[in-house]
């Protein structure tokens, strides 16, 4: 185990303890909004050399292996050639409601506006406009969240059936409601006071607001049994 990982384990014994990691980052100078969630702090690298140059908004989800930088020491090569030190500075800003996919790198002096999705493995620099989906190295726009919303809205039932049928294939039985996860609203009467949300971890969200939005979705089937019959 590297010294860095050993030290991090001492600071946050539970590697999934996002709250402890956020508290630590704030203590060294990072600005972080409410309900921002780090999926795996032990694999996340937030620039420790200039933490006060990093600003992360509210309701963000930062997944495993993400690196967020606030410095660039590549100018050190120039010193050897030109005998001068020409340092650079810039603030790295991440807006509200941003999802950063696994193993992505956010470079110094990047601004990611609100409601943005960063695809896994992306290298991001510059300004990413609000409401866009970007991916690649270098990261480029590939869609908008409006288009993504329409596509998922149109295909949510088909995706639910794919999910359920695969569980049937792998486990040799019908899925239970817990295994259906966020698809549960499709066959649950969300107007009922007895709806159980314990199996729905709303990471990176204000939970009361997320539950409120969930309750606004109108079920497609009258029961889970009706949904299962439709799989046949």
């Amino acid at each position: 185990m590297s010294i860095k990982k050993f030290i991090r384990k001492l600071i946050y014994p539970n590697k999934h303890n996002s709250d402890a990691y956020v508290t630590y980052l704030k203590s060294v100078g990072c600005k972080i909004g409410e309900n921002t969630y780090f999926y795996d702090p032990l694999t996340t690298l937030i620039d420790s050399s200039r933490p006060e140059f990093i600003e992360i908004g509210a309701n963000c989800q930062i997944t495993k292996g993400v690196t967020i930088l606030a410095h660039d020491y590549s100018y050190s090569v120039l010193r050897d050639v030109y005998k001068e030190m020409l340092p650079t500075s810039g603030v790295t800003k991440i807006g509200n409601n941003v999802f950063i996919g696994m193993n992505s790198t956010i470079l110094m002096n990047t601004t990611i506006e609100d409601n943005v999705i960063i695809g896994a493995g992306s290298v991001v620099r510059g300004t990413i406009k609000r409401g866009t989906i970007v991916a690649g190295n270098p990261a480029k726009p590939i869609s908008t969240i409006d288009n993504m919303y329409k596509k998922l809205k149109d295909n949510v039932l088909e995706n639910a059936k794919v999910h359920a049928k695969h569980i049937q294939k792998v486990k040799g039985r019908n899925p239970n409601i817990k295994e259906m996860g966020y698809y549960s609203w499709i066959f649950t009467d969300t107007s009922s006071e007895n709806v159980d949300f314990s199996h729905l971890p709303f990471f990176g969200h204000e939970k009361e607001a997320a539950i409120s939005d969930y309750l606004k979705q109108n079920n497609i089937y009258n029961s889970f049994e009706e949904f299962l019959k439709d799989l046949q």
Side-chain angles (χ1 to χ4, degrees), residues 78-150:
L78 304 181
R79 189 219 57 79
D80 196 51
V81 176
Y82 299 101
K83 311 306 178 186
E84 294 181 69
M85 291 295 286
L86 303 170
T88 58
S89 292
V91 178
T92 302
K93 296 182 179 180
I94 298 171
N96 300 315
N97 194 34
V98 172
F99 177 91
I100 304 179
M102 289 177 62
N103 300 318
S104 293
T105 299
I106 313 302
L107 298 175
M108 182 193 80
N109 209 24
T110 292
T111 296
I112 300 174
E113 296 182 353
D114 297 346
N115 307 324
V116 166
I117 296 171
I118 307 294
S122 297
V123 178
V124 185
R125 186 168 193 171
T127 298
I128 307 300
K129 296 294 185 182
R130 69 168 53 228
T132 58
I133 302 171
V134 302
N137 179 7
K140 296 180 180 179
I142 59 172
S143 186
T144 67
I145 63 167
D146 288 339
N147 288 339
M148 181 179 180
Y149 169 77
K150 185 178 186 305

